[in-house]
Amino acid sequence: MFSFISFHGHILAHRDFYLMGIPVAQAVSPQWNVVQLSADGNSLLGFADIRPQVEQSGEAKGLVSLKNGTQFMWNQPDGLLGWVPHNQNWERFAPVLSQHVPLLARLAQGKWLIAGKQTAERVSFSYFKLCLGEHNWDLRTLFLREKGDAIIISDGREPESVLQPSPLPVQKTFMVALAAQIKAMGESPFVQAAQAARQRLLVAPEDAGCLLDLAKNCAKIGQFGLARTAVLCAALQDFRPDLYLFSAILALREGETQQAADLANLALKGRFGDAPIPEQLTHLVQRTAQGEAALLLLPFALKELPDTEEFDPAFNFLMVPLPASMLRAEDVRQAYSYQFEQVASASTQEERLQLVQADQAQNRAQYWNQVVAGHYAWLNQNRASADPHYVTARKLSKDSGIKAVDYNCGVYTWLPEAAAYNLHEQQVTDQLGIAGWNWHSSVVPGRAEADAPDACLVFGCDSAYFRFVPKLVMSLMRACQAHPEQGRFRLCLGVDRATDEQLTLMRDLVAFFSEKDRGMDVSFTHGQLNHANKAAYTCIRYLMLPHIVGQWHCPVLTADCDGYFPHDFPALWQELKSGSDYGFRLYAYNHEGKQIAGEPWGFGAGLSYFGETELLPQIGRYLHNYVQRTYSPENPSNWCIDQCALAQAYSRFVAPRWNDLQIRFMDEGTPLMIMPHHVGGKDALLEHDGAVSEQDLRQFMQDNA
């Protein structure tokens, strides 16, 4: 027996003598009877005067016209029926086996998916086809059969497809288990997040993003079985190979290294498709199967391959903590340390403590858990506990060869409070070699070199970074030229290994500003540091300070040389000077002076203002001595040494008087200087508001001679 579905997707039904096209989902409604072909095939059952005509050729082959006399029945888009004297394709019907009608109604009543190919969507009927997303099947040759909860579908053109209902049985089981877990745990952050996710999934079970977030939350509390089921449910909607990797990471956390390797291999096959998997990646899979946490190395290995898409790092944080048995290889231990530090930096204080405790239970004291333990204590305002952790972390790093992640390199040059407190009163060895540098200063006719400006603006660089100096100098010259009444400034620049051309330019600048009063002065010093590297260059400004504050009694601004002054800098300076005692880039602090994130050396050194001139000789000596005392070529890195010095000086001279001082947050309000982070990077800064070359600067000097 056959029933009929129209071009617009309605199935022909009747109530008594009344014919109507109804949605397929209503085909099993007791209010309607689906029309069927009579047993002899010559009419509609119950409507003997309506006769079917089957098209025998062309695109319409197999479609049926329903005719009464000279009129043809057609189904309008709203389901209503009418009669017309002609017979176009959209006025015909597709015959479907009447035994399939309950299955068609079931398909129309919910969302369905094809695992690994089609996310859950509603089925539609149009153009004589059954449609699910990008897939469609011809109703004329449609064949359906049930297999459990699934429906097998084919139309003879392609292999059978398995349509699975959403939510799947596995997701139903997961939701029950999740509800039980929520009930068992009572009130907790996990329960709040899980309840919100469960609420979402009740109305949108196909939300793969929600399932993945839920998987991460389950893993955080050690419910790895629930987490893996949630990923499985998400994988039925989200076909990225990344989800195999997510499952591999969860298997690794459970100690199932062979399963982790198998899943990682599937992820790589999905990523590379028909192309062979690179040997170095296959090797990592093999190492994983042998019990190593070699998945930690996968992101680094993928970065080294050209034109290769990396995996989503969403689940990488779950690769800590891991037991020592998985971390025997040096490369794995280093990758684990980096991962541990990165996870800890993104964690809450409670999570940070739990992470440290869990890792120490499996790995004893290691560099990575000691440096994070130090951060935990520091952010709890407990420096007495933090400093010993940093001392231990530094020793363990040097002994083991495990290096700190870049933003934790301050651990190598961080001093305990007692060792740092009176540094400004101590004698230190000039191990960086600044003492022998040559100084040159402009002196305006009628003024003495010792006459104090309104401020000294202090910068340091090497010959490579000197490319920022022409724009820096010219921007200040223009600002002072435009606003001579709002302040006199002395720009102080220290250059390591300056070229002959650079020295000539600086000498010419000194001469230019010595010819007549131009509202500003220039001093520069040059020489060769004993250690030439980026960490040392950042400290030149602090190494210069004892000379500067001993020569000129005025406020000081220290800054990175890769910046320039806005046109209204003098006015901004007056505003800063009148309203603030100090100014720092306090991006990790709140307005009560409490550090709320990061590391002790998480203290921006790019732009700092020191307004208490009476204290500047002590502060200048302190910053100089701190750098000289802590810099060591034996350190794995001296990066962050400038931030360590500034943070310690702040802690020694400023922080205890927070409530009595006016502290400017330099990242707030109108910028005093335009820096790379304002304009999109260092190269962008050189072009921003116009590029300035050494020749441009010389031309400006000539034009204003």
Side-chain angles (χ1 to χ4, degrees):
M1 301 288 286
F2 289 92
S3 297
F4 304 93
I5 296 179
S6 73
F7 176 84
H8 296 296
H10 296 95
I11 191 166
L12 189 61
H14 71 94
R15 184 187 300 150
D16 298 327
F17 67 88
Y18 173 55
L19 287 166
M20 179 69 176
I22 64 172
V24 176
Q26 297 180 18
V28 291
S29 168
Q31 297 180 0
W32 293 98
N33 296 300
V34 173
V35 171
Q36 295 182 3
L37 188 66
S38 63
D40 59 14
N42 293 323
S43 64
L44 300 187
L45 194 62
F47 299 88
D49 53 343
I50 300 178
R51 299 183 174 275
Q53 290 184 352
V54 180
E55 298 298 323
Q56 301 296 328
S57 61
E59 291 184 2
K61 183 178 180 180
L63 295 178
V64 174
S65 301
L66 299 178
K67 188 177 183 182
N68 186 349
T70 62
Q71 301 288 305
F72 294 91
M73 180 184 291
W74 79 292
N75 185 201
Q76 301 175 38
D78 59 4
L80 294 176
L81 298 172
W83 298 95
V84 291
H86 44 74
N87 188 20
Q88 304 296 329
N89 264 4
W90 57 86
E91 293 154 357
R92 297 187 172 99
F93 294 81
V96 295
L97 289 171
S98 298
Q99 69 195 58
H100 287 165
V101 169
L103 295 182
L104 292 170
R106 187 178 160 213
L107 285 171
Q109 288 169 358
K111 292 183 177 181
W112 297 78
L113 59 87
I114 304 173
K117 292 183 179 180
Q118 172 67 49
T119 58
E121 293 187 38
R122 290 195 174 276
V123 163
S124 65
F125 298 86
S126 61
Y127 299 92
F128 306 123
K129 293 178 181 179
L130 185 156
C131 304
L132 177 61
E134 297 179 353
H135 301 267
N136 61 78
W137 295 268
D138 194 324
L139 290 174
R140 290 169 286 186
T141 55
L142 190 69
F143 184 79
L144 304 173
R145 59 187 173 88
E146 286 185 296
K147 185 178 181 181
D149 287 336
I151 294 178
I152 311 299
I153 185 170
S154 68
D155 63 2
R157 294 178 301 166
E158 296 179 0
E160 293 180 336
S161 297
V162 181
L163 307 188
Q164 296 178 311
S166 177
L168 295 162
V170 65
Q171 192 164 339
K172 296 174 186 177
T173 303
F174 169 73
M175 293 291 281
V176 172
L178 178 63
Q181 185 66 41
I182 291 173
K183 183 177 180 180
M185 290 190 66
E187 285 299 319
S188 70
F190 166 78
V191 166
Q192 294 174 4
Q195 285 177 330
R198 183 174 179 274
Q199 188 178 51
R200 169 65 178 164
L201 293 171
L202 288 174
V203 296
E206 70 282 357
D207 189 336
C210 181
L211 285 162
L212 291 175
D213 286 340
L214 190 51
K216 288 185 280 187
N217 286 325
C218 289
K220 284 181 181 179
I221 63 165
Q223 292 295 323
F224 295 107
L226 270 179
R228 292 175 73 176
T229 305
V231 173
L232 173 61
C233 294
L236 295 168
Q237 314 287 344
D238 184 341
F239 313 136
R240 294 176 297 154
D242 307 68
L243 273 71
Y244 283 120
L245 185 63
F246 297 166
S247 295
I249 291 170
L250 292 170
L252 188 72
R253 277 296 298 273
E254 291 187 283
E256 300 289 345
T257 54
Q258 181 60 59
Q259 191 172 33
D262 293 341
L263 289 163
N265 192 52
L266 288 173
L268 291 170
K269 284 183 177 179
R271 173 66 78 239
F272 288 94
D274 295 332
I277 299 172
E279 184 179 351
Q280 58 268 48
L281 303 184
T282 301
H283 183 55
L284 294 182
V285 172
Q286 293 169 348
R287 290 177 63 182
T288 302
Q290 293 165 5
E292 292 188 71
L295 293 184
L296 285 159
L297 300 170
L298 188 56
F300 303 97
L302 286 169
K303 283 182 180 178
E304 293 178 355
L305 294 172
D307 303 322
T308 302
E309 183 183 355
E310 297 175 39
F311 286 111
D312 185 342
F315 276 61
N316 287 2
F317 76 97
L318 290 170
M319 286 193 279
V320 295
L322 290 173
S325 60
M326 292 186 181
L327 308 175
R328 294 193 181 99
E330 182 178 347
D331 57 350
V332 171
R333 286 170 63 79
Q334 182 62 74
Y336 180 81
S337 182
Y338 285 156
Q339 185 67 41
F340 192 92
E341 292 172 278
Q342 290 165 4
V343 170
S345 69
S347 298
T348 64
Q349 276 287 79
E350 181 181 356
E351 291 169 341
R352 196 171 285 123
L353 177 61
Q354 292 172 352
L355 187 62
V356 167
Q357 291 174 336
D359 189 80
Q360 282 189 276
Q362 298 184 77
N363 295 303
R364 299 180 296 176
Q366 300 290 344
Y367 155 72
W368 56 80
N369 57 47
Q370 289 305 292
V371 74
V372 173
H375 297 343
Y376 173 80
W378 178 266
L379 293 175
N380 278 349
Q381 317 303 307
N382 186 359
R383 180 167 186 175
S385 176
D387 281 343
H389 283 298
Y390 294 134
V391 171
T392 301
R394 179 164 56 249
K395 182 179 186 303
L396 288 170
S397 173
K398 291 182 176 181
D399 290 347
S400 67
I402 295 296
K403 297 179 177 63
V405 73
D406 54 1
Y407 51 78
N408 273 338
C409 284
V411 73
Y412 301 122
T413 51
W414 182 258
L415 290 179
E417 186 172 23
Y421 191 76
N422 289 324
L423 266 177
H424 56 294
E425 299 174 355
Q426 300 175 20
Q427 294 296 317
V428 296
T429 302
D430 180 30
Q431 62 170 322
L432 283 165
I434 192 76
W437 282 27
N438 298 306
W439 281 84
H440 308 266
S441 296
S442 65
V443 182
V444 173
R447 290 175 61 89
E449 183 179 348
D451 289 349
D454 287 292
C456 284
L457 315 177
V458 185
F459 304 86
C461 67
D462 68 333
S463 58
Y465 258 60
F466 193 89
R467 69 185 187 276
F468 294 99
V469 170
K471 186 166 189 170
L472 175 72
V473 174
M474 186 183 286
S475 66
L476 184 60
M477 292 168 68
R478 285 172 169 167
C480 290
Q481 188 180 68
H483 307 282
E485 75 289 351
Q486 291 189 327
R488 182 179 194 85
F489 305 95
R490 180 172 288 274
L491 188 148
C492 304
L493 176 66
V495 185
D496 178 70
R497 292 169 172 78
T499 67
D500 291 342
E501 289 181 356
Q502 292 167 353
L503 288 176
T504 299
L505 176 64
M506 294 307 298
R507 291 191 181 104
D508 290 347
L509 279 168
V510 168
F512 176 78
F513 285 106
S514 297
E515 290 172 355
K516 63 180 181 181
D517 193 345
R518 305 177 191 277
M520 65 173 281
D521 300 289
V522 167
S523 293
F524 81 95
T525 182
H526 65 95
Q528 289 192 7
L529 292 178
N530 292 337
H531 304 284
N533 55 64
K534 291 181 179 179
Y537 301 150
T538 64
C539 298
I540 293 175
R541 70 192 90 164
Y542 298 151
L543 296 172
M544 296 163 60
L545 281 181
H547 177 94
I548 292 169
V549 299
Q551 184 84 1
W552 298 287
H553 186 75
C554 64
V556 166
L557 189 80
T558 64
D560 293 338
C561 71
D562 53 346
Y564 69 94
F565 296 96
H567 190 259
D568 57 348
F569 169 74
L572 295 172
W573 165 262
Q574 290 296 334
E575 179 186 340
L576 173 67
K577 182 180 177 182
S578 63
S580 305
D581 300 300
Y582 292 92
F584 302 107
R585 292 195 64 204
L586 298 168
Y587 50 75
Y589 286 71
N590 63 21
H591 280 263
E592 286 71 52
K594 180 181 178 181
Q595 187 170 355
I596 56 175
E599 314 78 36
W601 46 88
F603 199 103
L607 184 62
S608 304
Y609 164 63
F610 304 88
E612 286 191 304
T613 55
E614 297 304 319
L615 275 180
L616 263 171
Q618 297 179 59
I619 294 174
R621 177 59 57 184
Y622 187 98
L623 288 165
H624 168 276
N625 287 3
Y626 193 97
V627 172
Q628 297 278 26
R629 173 64 58 82
T630 59
Y631 186 94
S632 172
E634 304 301 319
N635 285 336
S637 171
N638 288 287
W639 192 246
C640 298
I641 186 174
D642 59 326
Q643 294 171 247
C644 285
L646 184 59
Q648 295 266 20
Y650 164 82
S651 181
R652 171 65 177 82
F653 296 100
V654 179
R657 299 181 292 136
W658 177 274
N659 293 327
D660 302 320
L661 297 170
Q662 296 296 317
I663 312 296
R664 167 78 176 269
F665 282 65
M666 298 297 267
D667 288 331
E668 298 179 3
T670 304
L672 199 68
M673 286 186 68
I674 309 302
M675 310 298 280
H677 64 273
H678 294 131
V679 297
K682 297 180 185 295
D683 292 337
L685 183 130
L686 287 169
E687 300 296 328
H688 192 259
D689 284 341
V692 179
S693 66
E694 292 184 22
Q695 184 57 43
D696 293 330
L697 180 55
R698 287 191 175 279
Q699 186 63 50
F700 185 85
M701 292 162 60
Q702 182 178 331
D703 294 343
N704 290 273

